[in-house]
Amino acid sequence: MPRLVPAVCCFALLLVSPIEPMFAQTPRPALAEPWMNRSLNADERADLLVHAMTMEEKIQLVHGSGWGVLRAGDPILPGHNLGAGFTPGIPRLHLPGINFADSAVGIRMAALQSRYATLLPSVIGMAATWDPGSATLYGSVIGRELRDQGFNMSIGGGVDLIREPRNGRNFEYASEDPVLSGIMVGHLAEGVQANHVMGDIKHYAVNDQETGRNVLNALLDRRSLRETDLLAFQIAIGLAKPAGVMCSYNRLNGDYACENDYLLHQVLKQDWGFKGFVLSDWEGTHSTSKAALAGLDMEQPGDTYFGSALKLAVERGEVPQLRLDDMVHRIVRSMIASGAFDDPPVRRVVDPFQGRDDAQKIAEEGIVLLQNHGGVLPLSSMKLSSVAIIGAHADVGVLSGGGSAQVDAPNGDAVHPYFGSSPWNQPVVFPSSPMRYIREQLAPGASVTFDEGIDPASAAKTAAQAKVAIVFVQQWMTEGQDAETLSLPGNQDALVHAVAAANPNTIVVIESGGPVKMPWKGEVKGILEAWYPGIGGGQAIANLLFGCVNPSGKLPVTFAVKDEDLPHPHVTGLTAGTGNNGMDGKNNPNADKSFPVDYNVEGMMVGYKWFQSKGKAPLFPFGFGLSYTQFAYADMEAKPDGSSVSFTVKNVGARGGDEIAQVYVTLPGSAGEPFRKLVGWKRISLAPQEVKRVEIALDPLFLSVFSVAQDRFVRMPGEYLIEAGGSSSDLPLHLRVPLGGLSDVAH
Ligand code: BGC
């Protein structure tokens, strides 16, 4: 697990290496070498480059240069841009190095280098917009700032399914549904790459919990695997054609992901035709020949297996020379195809204003209004005379997620300022205070009081004196550690109960990594799920509460009433009080203690599919979200070949708003999938009383099942039930459409 050790940097920068001059990032003049010829395609140019390389140069490209700034004492080579990793280039061939930056929700470790990076809303919050345009915008903020900071490769693009709602990294992932996750994260990676920065999709695959992630063996039958976790990767990779796919730490059905022939060679490269390179998660490589033959192309962050050991394996014929050439081809091809080779990054000042505006726009689209009894929201700027704001440091800022996705806050943590880069293992609050916007901009005439929310009795007293009480609650999540339960940590449930008892107009704003329990749901009037809303989050929350923006986000995950309703009532391997059960880091005493995590319990019934199949009522269903207006659905038609459906949506309320119209399909009985699944959606804007006809294309892949016998997706003949509406459990439109079989939809 990378940990930042700032003191190493000054020393390491003084090291001189013969490999590459410092910051070889300026555009190069056109040169005569044949691979500089832009009229050739990326494969042709890559072939020429590989042909020109020595054995040593090839080996140099297939591994990283060490932990760098992430670990004290590790050398930092010249040309290293001080991100998570660096693979030096080959100046003799005018090939730049690869500078990797962790950038799941914005660029990590910027403050340490006196740089600035925008904190975007968490990926799950982005997915809650259901807006592919917002996903592209999200990626373009990351791509733009990576370029500005001199990086040419992003490591982000988390598309693991939210199979385990208590997973510490759910804030880095999009959703529990493969179609929603694949489409949103695919657009995100497209946005990154549009900036001529190499993009990445991670963690391949089934890295669905953090507890024991380095040792656990995820078990999942092949059909379920292809229709759930792998389908999300398939869609995202197909859309974005990313430069890199990062293989994950865990084992899958026996083999480590980074030496798993089925995952890397058979599915990713053969079935999906992936042309980029597979890089290991940091210290996720476990072998030389096995990994190389299975399809791993680059070891990170060091050279334990893919340095001299790989050279020897090639010389001995254990790994064919052609395989090494293929690894190198994939790496340089990706550099050329993404534009990072011909248009290398040029450092300049990051635009914080643009970043903030973009982050705020995405937050405003992705925050979900879950409850609004008696029309308590929106609050009126004109009429509100007093408001009590309680808890979660809402007086100074909003929460962010931890681990390698942590972005540095301007001026450090707003609660406990520090200097330099953000810590790995403690919450960081960004200076975007919801209270400030309420007090200064949205309710300047109201009396605004604040209570820290530590003592429920004191908070109740403050709440009782105001017309409205807004309680902020939070759940801090981080890499390497899952939540023990869905409950909010600390005494926050008691806090909400106490405030709700004191004030009949209580509204709860949740800042969480994913779904949480709400035992107080029946006691409060309003509930807003804000996720980790990013650097524009305070303003976004205030704008939604006061109706300057009409809420439109919808849940990308099911919120369960209680842990016992989940397929796994406890996170497998997580012992109360031990955090990750001591099995996160590779170099720990439990490293050899692999244990199974049996995802066959739910198989393909992930999230809402589990709840529907088991007849369990969720707290809030997948796809759910309220607006300050209402929408009505009518007149669904389907093309006879099942290629699209259309219907009308009307805004029947008095204010303009966006609706996310969703389409679900239940396959014929012979498919053996007794649940509906999301197959398409559209986000539409409607003025009051406006009606729009919406057409939604249905991708044959999403109507198919994976046939293990035929090793491909096929469409079963029979009657398909198509339903449409505003959430997975509110589908007023139904159609039954007979469709013929299709024997070869996709691999
Ligand atoms: C994480 C990756 C990250 C890498 C480099 C690992 O701990 O799992 O997501 O990209 O570190 O920081």
Side-chain angles (χ1 to χ4, degrees):
M1 185 200 310
R3 282 195 174 75
L4 184 66
V5 185
V8 73
C9 298
C10 314
F11 156 73
L13 278 173
L14 299 175
L15 293 177
V16 178
S17 155
I19 295 175
E20 192 176 30
M22 273 298 275
F23 303 118
Q25 298 165 9
T26 40
R28 293 177 301 279
L31 294 161
E33 280 86 347
W35 55 86
M36 305 304 283
N37 179 354
R38 295 187 192 191
S39 67
L40 300 177
N41 68 35
D43 283 305
E44 292 165 335
R45 294 173 73 185
D47 279 342
L48 290 164
L49 259 165
V50 175
H51 188 70
M53 284 179 201
T54 64
M55 179 70 161
E56 279 68 28
E57 286 168 338
K58 289 175 185 174
I59 294 288
Q60 180 195 311
L61 282 182
V62 298
H63 60 78
S65 58
W67 282 92
V69 289
L70 296 175
R71 189 171 281 173
D74 271 35
I76 296 168
L77 299 187
H80 196 312
N81 200 33
L82 309 175
F86 177 56
T87 290
I90 307 171
R92 160 184 103 75
L93 304 177
H94 309 286
L95 185 73
I98 305 180
N99 264 302
F100 302 84
D102 274 315
S103 35
V105 299
I107 300 162
R108 179 183 178 202
M109 296 189 295
L112 185 68
Q113 324 305 337
S114 311
R115 302 170 186 157
Y116 173 82
T118 296
L119 174 72
L120 288 153
S122 48
V123 178
I124 193 175
M126 177 280 287
T129 70
W130 299 58
D131 180 357
S134 276
T136 309
L137 176 66
Y138 193 102
S140 72
V141 174
I142 292 173
R144 179 172 77 221
E145 296 189 1
L146 283 167
R147 262 190 90 74
D148 291 350
Q149 295 192 14
F151 291 104
N152 57 5
M153 181 147 183
S154 150
I155 34 177
V159 75
D160 296 274
L161 282 198
I162 302 185
R163 194 178 261 281
E164 170 47 76
R166 294 150 301 197
N167 176 4
R169 299 187 84 171
N170 283 341
F171 75 94
E172 295 184 54
Y173 302 143
S175 86
E176 66 191 23
D177 182 86
V179 176
L180 181 61
S181 293
I183 290 179
M184 296 303 281
V185 178
H187 279 85
L188 184 162
E190 269 183 340
V192 172
Q193 298 209 137
N195 287 276
H196 293 172
V197 165
M198 286 186 276
D200 168 56
I201 299 282
K202 69 186 185 183
H203 308 85
Y204 186 66
V206 201
N207 185 175
D208 294 345
Q209 69 173 50
E210 288 298 280
T211 303
R213 66 176 178 170
N214 292 90
V215 294
L216 71 79
N217 182 21
L219 301 176
L220 187 55
D221 74 274
R222 192 162 282 193
R223 174 171 169 187
S224 300
L225 181 62
R226 294 298 299 263
E227 292 189 34
T228 58
D229 295 62
L230 293 202
L231 181 58
F233 279 93
Q234 181 170 5
I235 297 167
I237 292 167
L239 271 172
K241 302 188 176 40
V245 167
M246 180 190 281
C247 50
S248 54
Y249 285 129
N250 54 289
R251 296 173 194 254
L252 174 66
N253 296 328
D255 281 334
Y256 280 113
C258 291
E259 54 186 40
N260 192 310
D261 188 79
Y262 180 69
L263 273 183
L264 307 184
H265 175 64
Q266 297 178 45
V267 176
L268 177 65
K269 291 183 175 175
Q270 276 191 342
D271 288 357
W272 301 344
F274 174 63
K275 288 184 156 43
F277 63 98
V278 179
L279 67 155
S280 72
D281 200 341
W282 267 227
E283 275 189 357
T285 308
H286 295 271
S287 59
T288 300
S289 299
K290 183 175 182 188
L293 295 175
L296 179 66
D297 300 304
M298 182 187 274
E299 176 185 2
Q300 285 293 351
D303 63 356
T304 313
Y305 299 102
F306 275 28
S308 51
L310 180 60
K311 185 166 175 256
L312 199 64
V314 175
E315 284 162 358
R316 285 184 178 155
E318 289 160 20
V319 174
Q321 178 70 45
L322 275 177
R323 174 69 191 107
L324 175 63
D325 289 355
D326 173 52
M327 297 177 188
V328 179
H329 177 101
R330 286 170 174 278
I331 295 164
V332 295
R333 179 202 186 277
S334 302
M335 224 187 272
I336 295 165
S338 64
F341 182 79
D342 295 317
D343 184 20
V346 179
R347 291 211 257 168
R348 48 171 224 162
V349 175
V350 165
D351 182 347
F353 303 107
Q354 186 63 52
R356 199 204 113 98
D357 289 353
D358 292 342
Q360 185 180 325
K361 176 183 180 295
I362 298 165
E364 286 174 348
E365 276 193 11
I367 292 173
V368 186
L369 178 61
L370 292 175
Q371 183 160 296
N372 191 15
H373 289 333
V376 68
L377 293 171
L379 300 170
S380 162
S381 291
M382 307 297 288
K383 296 191 196 135
L384 187 68
S385 55
S386 58
V387 54
I389 295 181
I390 293 155
H393 306 292
D395 55 333
V396 288
V398 290
L399 188 61
S400 59
S404 63
Q406 181 71 64
V407 173
D408 293 340
N411 204 27
D413 179 71
V415 179
H416 305 292
Y418 53 81
F419 176 73
S421 241
S422 301
W424 175 276
N425 253 336
Q426 85 186 41
V428 176
V429 174
F430 272 63
S432 178
S433 156
M435 184 173 92
R436 235 194 74 199
Y437 292 111
I438 291 172
R439 178 182 274 160
E440 292 174 10
Q441 294 179 7
L442 295 170
S447 142
V448 181
T449 46
F450 181 72
D451 183 282
E452 281 183 307
I454 292 167
D455 171 16
S458 135
K461 216 165 142 196
T462 308
Q465 285 156 15
K467 289 265 182 268
V468 170
I470 308 176
V471 197
F472 286 78
V473 293
Q474 61 180 17
Q475 176 210 41
W476 180 66
M477 299 293 274
T478 187
E479 179 179 340
Q481 198 172 313
D482 300 319
E484 282 172 23
T485 74
L486 291 171
S487 295
L488 286 167
N491 68 349
Q492 296 183 95
D493 285 335
L495 173 71
V496 180
H497 285 307
V499 172
N503 189 313
N505 294 315
T506 294
I507 297 152
V508 180
V509 178
I510 307 166
E511 294 169 25
S512 67
V516 292
K517 261 166 71 172
M518 303 180 203
W520 31 258
K521 175 178 176 261
E523 299 156 36
V524 302
K525 281 206 174 143
I527 306 173
L528 202 64
E529 173 56 74
W531 317 109
Y532 303 143
I535 189 64
Q539 178 86 70
I541 291 168
N543 280 346
L544 288 157
L545 290 173
F546 281 80
C548 309
V549 175
N550 192 352
S552 57
K554 301 238 183 183
L555 292 180
V557 281
T558 305
F559 278 51
V561 175
K562 52 188 190 305
D563 294 67
E564 292 71 28
D565 289 345
L566 301 172
H568 305 266
H570 304 284
V571 178
T572 311
L574 179 59
T575 315
T578 60
N580 55 38
N581 206 13
M583 288 190 284
D584 171 52
K586 198 177 163 217
N587 301 315
N588 71 58
N590 289 318
D592 59 341
K593 293 190 181 156
S594 184
F595 63 95
V597 179
D598 191 4
Y599 292 126
N600 289 312
V601 171
E602 73 279 14
M604 57 182 93
M605 294 182 289
V606 180
Y608 63 94
K609 295 165 189 164
W610 169 263
F611 281 79
Q612 189 197 350
S613 304
K614 298 289 169 191
K616 288 175 192 281
L619 184 68
F620 293 108
F622 176 83
F624 175 77
L626 298 170
S627 162
Y628 295 144
T629 186
Q630 296 83 40
F631 302 96
Y633 287 73
D635 303 330
M636 179 154 71
E637 285 173 352
K639 290 243 174 80
D641 64 356
S643 60
S644 74
V645 291
S646 59
F647 47 86
T648 51
V649 184
K650 180 175 183 184
N651 180 347
V652 292
R655 42 180 306 166
D658 283 9
E659 168 68 329
I660 297 158
Q662 302 157 42
V663 180
Y664 295 81
V665 168
T666 306
L667 305 187
S670 56
E673 299 186 4
F675 46 79
R676 60 177 73 96
K677 44 189 189 182
L678 179 74
V679 290
W681 72 89
K682 202 163 249 176
R683 191 183 163 101
I684 36 169
S685 293
L686 292 166
Q689 301 302 312
E690 188 182 355
V691 184
K692 271 187 188 160
R693 186 98 194 140
V694 180
E695 179 161 16
I696 297 180
L698 304 182
D699 187 325
L701 177 61
F702 308 159
L703 303 186
S704 299
V705 299
F706 186 78
S707 159
V708 176
Q710 297 171 57
D711 197 27
R712 69 193 58 202
F713 281 91
V714 297
R715 193 173 76 188
M716 310 294 286
E719 197 174 68
Y720 285 70
L721 170 64
I722 306 181
E723 297 168 286
S727 100
S728 66
S729 63
D730 177 18
L731 298 164
L733 304 181
H734 311 262
L735 267 184
R736 289 185 189 275
V737 181
L739 293 176
L742 289 176
S743 59
D744 190 7
V745 176
H747 275 285

